[in-house]
Amino acid sequence: MTVDFKKSIRTLVVEDDSQDFLLIKTALRNSDRADYQVRHLTTLAQATDALVDGDFDILLLDYFLGEHSGLDVLNQAREIHCTKPIVVMTGTNAPELDDMLMKQGAADFIPKDDLSTAFLDRTIRHALERKSAELEIAELVRRDHLTGLGNRVLFEEHMELAIARASRSSSQLAVLFMDLDRFKDVNDSLGHHIGDLLLTLVGDRLKRSVRKSDFVARIGGDEFTVLLDGINSPEDVSQIVEHICKEVCRPAPVSNTTLDVSVSIGVALYPENGELPIELMQKADMALYESKALGPGHYHFFTEHLQARLMRGLELEKALRDALADNEFELFFQPQIDIDSQQIAGLEALIRWRRSDGELVSPDEFIPVAVRCGLIVPIGQWVIETACSIISRWRKAGIRVPMSINVSPRQLKFNGFVDHLLDCVRHHELAPGDLEIELTEEVFIDSGVSYRQMMQKIKDAGVRIAIDDFGTGYSSMRYLRDLPLDRIKIDRSFVSGNGEASLSEPAITQSILSLAHGLHLEVVAEGVETNEQVNLLCQQGCRYFQGYHFYRPMPLAELEPRLSNH
Ligand code: C2E
Ligand code: CA
Ligand code: CA
């Protein structure tokens, strides 16, 4: 009795010459090492379809294919990240061609005049072994080590392949962007270890809540993505998303505690919302952002409304680029008052964009766009340079007033930030205390970057550091104590936020003032609009004030006459 141990290898032969095909087929059939299941294709179009299907182990490819060449197939294989080895059969003896084919991703090549069974066997076996080793490594760099899920790279590759497949079968796909609500709180209050356990658990639940044909990845901190295949309608997607939410958002037993889990999800559809992976990812991300605005535990589809916003953003981005080149930005200044001396104690520089038609655009409109597209970096540099040069000019005229500038977290992430800032300070020979940067609490949430050293360097150069909009973000007392800060600015929502003459949140302003003074930090109250607010804040121990009650932000020409007595 004989038992067949021969390994079965699904072999695609792309060959337009039927005689050559017969030779190959016979050689393969004679093998006693492997059981080749041969499928014969004759055109580029058939080969392309087969690549997308991926239903084979190895592809033997004739280099000459009618008016096409094997290169066309190799290119397509690369585009869709085909993971199967392709061995090219070349008719001519041309070493340069062979080299070039290997560079284009061929696993190996065989001269057509040596189609012996032994040679084919060996070449195919080696190609399969090499490919599997290669894939193992590739797999490692495409995996998220914590959860074992794919990472962003792998996710995008899967998307490309799925899109190629869906476009052929005119079917739909859905891309889900998901993040855990309040994950930062878990990390901060219970530690990274618990945070990691929670992420692993969520990854696990996610994977179990989708079908086999769907793909789940972790693309960053607490961000997961899911690719849903074979979708028939948006209603389908809603159902699946609701099912996923139900599965993932159950209480999570982690270590010794039980955590409530909730997620927010943004959805983009192929082909309705876009045909490129990057486009779909961006749109799902925007939809996620929108769902966050609805509160925790919601999901949101990418909509016409978001599309309009995206277009406006793109137009604005282009206009901002031009504005930077055409020097259309300008600084306004809002004085801060020292209530003890009744004098101007400082200025906050606030950027404005004066469009060529004279319209003045508020930073609330364009800063968020500049942040998203990275233009905030050069715009921020312009602010620093302009502020430093004004301070230096005033000094020569005998005027000294400290000036604050706003710095977004995105600017700090840019590597050259500190060097540029300190270069400007040195170049204009600013004295300690002349310049202050205002950072928002957001900066400290992002644990990826080490801001402590950065801030110390800035401070050592004589630049003061203030926390802006204090109380609206993270409000952790820990960083107030640990970081080299000089001042905090109470957000205006606590001062005049409810539109009434009185203080809107007296208990909060009081506790911020007590806390800050305990830590020897100066406090500025922002958005002060009425005399009553000034009086109440004075009773609570506040000394510095900024707001419409004293001054509105004003252009340089209006400000300078008021400073002549400084
Ligand atoms: P911010 O840093 O909180 O600036 C204070 C904002 O409050 C300014 O708005 C100011 O005009 C406004 N304000 C001042 N006093 C009062 C008041 O009594 N009542 C009310 N309701 N509002 C008051 P503005 O100038 O429109 O700036 C908006 C935001 O844009 C700023 O908020 C800041 O986050 C950002 N920004 C402004 N200039 C820059 C800049 O050069 N770089 C960066 N990265 N961001 C900037
Ligand atoms: Ca500010
Ligand atoms: Ca502020």
Side-chain angles (χ1 to χ4, degrees), residues 7-42:
K7 188 173 180 220
S8 156
I9 299 176
R10 294 168 304 167
T11 311
L12 276 187
V13 181
V14 184
E15 168 64 85
D16 58 351
D17 183 318
S18 52
Q19 289 218 311
D20 283 354
F21 172 69
L22 217 61
L23 276 177
I24 299 163
K25 191 173 162 189
T26 313
L28 292 176
R29 183 174 298 152
N30 290 338
S31 166
D32 46 24
R33 303 195 59 147
D35 168 22
Y36 294 101
Q37 294 169 3
V38 179
R39 235 167 86 208
H40 183 198
L41 309 176
T42 53

Side-chain angles (χ1 to χ4, degrees), residues 124-195:
I124 290 174
R125 184 160 43 90
H126 284 172
L128 285 170
E129 281 169 6
R130 262 200 314 272
K131 197 71 189 181
S132 108
E134 206 177 276
L135 283 178
E136 220 168 274
I137 296 170
E139 184 69 5
L140 279 176
V141 299
R142 284 169 174 69
R143 284 281 156 203
D144 164 47
H145 299 299
L146 181 65
T147 59
L149 297 170
N151 62 16
R152 183 186 285 269
V153 178
L154 193 59
F155 189 75
E156 287 183 2
E157 287 178 6
H158 265 261
M159 269 179 90
E160 261 165 55
L161 199 59
I163 286 173
R165 235 184 282 125
S167 109
R168 267 191 333 147
S169 59
S170 308
S171 57
Q172 300 176 48
L173 302 170
V175 180
L176 273 47
F177 255 56
M178 164 184 311
D179 79 13
L180 296 188
D181 299 318
R182 292 180 298 259
F183 178 68
K184 302 273 191 290
D185 291 350
V186 173
N187 247 352
D188 288 333
S189 55
L190 301 173
H192 284 271
H193 175 61
I194 301 289

Side-chain angles (χ1 to χ4, degrees), residues 498-515:
N498 60 4
E500 284 166 20
S502 188
L503 266 182
S504 28
E505 297 285 354
I508 296 180
T509 55
Q510 178 64 80
S511 59
I512 294 177
L513 279 155
S514 317
L515 171 82

Side-chain angles (χ1 to χ4, degrees), residues 264-282:
S264 300
I265 299 178
V267 187
L269 300 174
Y270 167 91
E272 198 180 314
N273 301 144
E275 310 210 327
L276 298 174
I278 175 117
E279 200 183 350
L280 291 165
M281 305 261 291
Q282 185 191 19

Side-chain angles (χ1 to χ4, degrees), residues 331 334 348-352 362-364 367 376 383 406-408 411 438 468-469 492 496 526-529 546-549 553:
L331 289 182
Q334 186 176 34
E348 177 173 3
L350 294 157
I351 196 168
R352 299 289 181 268
S362 124
D364 281 335
I367 292 285
I376 191 66
V383 171
N406 292 283
V407 172
S408 338
Q411 286 171 263
E438 295 188 2
D468 205 359
D469 305 343
R492 69 166 181 265
S496 55
E526 282 195 293
V528 181
E529 294 182 355
Q546 181 180 343
Y548 295 169
H549 177 67

Side-chain angles (χ1 to χ4, degrees), residues 76-364:
Q76 294 200 350
R78 225 185 17 245
E79 251 167 50
I80 62 162
H81 304 284
C82 171
T83 55
K84 307 295 163 61
I86 300 178
V87 172
V88 185
M89 300 173 292
T90 51
T92 46
N93 184 10
E96 315 81 50
L97 177 64
D98 296 342
D99 283 352
M100 193 267 285
L101 288 171
M102 299 295 276
K103 277 205 192 93
Q104 296 303 312
D108 209 342
F109 50 87
I110 333 179
K112 265 197 176 167
D113 52 13
D114 185 5
L115 291 176
S116 68
T117 298
F119 186 57
L120 275 174
D121 256 343
R122 193 162 33 128
T123 308
I124 290 174
R125 184 160 43 90
H126 284 172
L128 285 170
E129 281 169 6
R130 262 200 314 272
K131 197 71 189 181
S132 108
E134 206 177 276
L135 283 178
E136 220 168 274
I137 296 170
E139 184 69 5
L140 279 176
V141 299
R142 284 169 174 69
R143 284 281 156 203
D144 164 47
H145 299 299
L146 181 65
T147 59
L149 297 170
N151 62 16
R152 183 186 285 269
V153 178
L154 193 59
F155 189 75
E156 287 183 2
E157 287 178 6
H158 265 261
M159 269 179 90
E160 261 165 55
L161 199 59
I163 286 173
R165 235 184 282 125
S167 109
R168 267 191 333 147
S169 59
S170 308
S171 57
Q172 300 176 48
L173 302 170
V175 180
L176 273 47
F177 255 56
M178 164 184 311
D179 79 13
L180 296 188
D181 299 318
R182 292 180 298 259
F183 178 68
K184 302 273 191 290
D185 291 350
V186 173
N187 247 352
D188 288 333
S189 55
L190 301 173
H192 284 271
H193 175 61
I194 301 289
D196 285 354
L197 288 174
L198 181 62
L199 288 173
T200 314
L201 185 110
V202 167
D204 234 49
R205 285 182 177 176
L206 250 179
K207 209 164 163 187
R208 272 187 281 128
S209 69
V210 298
R211 299 159 304 173
K212 256 214 156 64
S213 55
D214 301 329
F215 187 73
V216 181
R218 174 172 171 244
I219 58 164
D222 61 337
E223 293 174 332
F224 294 87
T225 48
V226 184
L227 179 66
L228 302 177
D229 218 332
I231 294 299
N232 295 316
S233 68
E235 292 73 45
D236 259 15
V237 182
S238 296
Q239 257 182 17
I240 301 177
V241 170
E242 278 161 26
H243 173 71
I244 292 177
C245 285
K246 209 174 107 230
E247 289 304 305
V248 175
C249 302
R250 283 178 287 123
V254 173
S255 201
N256 293 328
T257 65
T258 302
L259 300 172
D260 285 327
V261 184
S262 121
V263 294
S264 300
I265 299 178
V267 187
L269 300 174
Y270 167 91
E272 198 180 314
N273 301 144
E275 310 210 327
L276 298 174
I278 175 117
E279 200 183 350
L280 291 165
M281 305 261 291
Q282 185 191 19
K283 290 181 174 174
D285 196 13
M286 275 183 84
L288 168 62
Y289 197 76
E290 203 64 10
S291 79
K292 284 259 166 197
L294 299 173
H298 285 83
Y299 69 92
H300 201 284
F301 281 83
F302 184 82
T303 54
E304 292 283 317
H305 170 71
L306 286 177
Q307 178 66 31
R309 193 195 299 166
L310 190 67
M311 294 313 292
R312 268 202 314 278
L314 288 176
E315 280 162 28
L316 195 55
E317 180 183 333
K318 187 185 171 308
L320 275 178
R321 258 177 230 288
D322 295 343
L324 193 63
D326 300 344
N327 221 346
E328 290 182 353
F329 293 115
E330 172 176 338
L331 289 182
F332 271 40
F333 300 90
Q334 186 176 34
Q336 296 162 347
I337 301 302
D338 175 350
I339 207 71
D340 291 355
S341 66
Q342 299 281 326
Q343 298 282 315
I344 293 177
L347 303 163
E348 177 173 3
L350 294 157
I351 196 168
R352 299 289 181 268
W353 172 14
R354 199 179 290 279
R355 305 191 76 143
S356 46
D357 59 6
E359 188 203 349
L360 209 56
V361 189
S362 124
D364 281 335

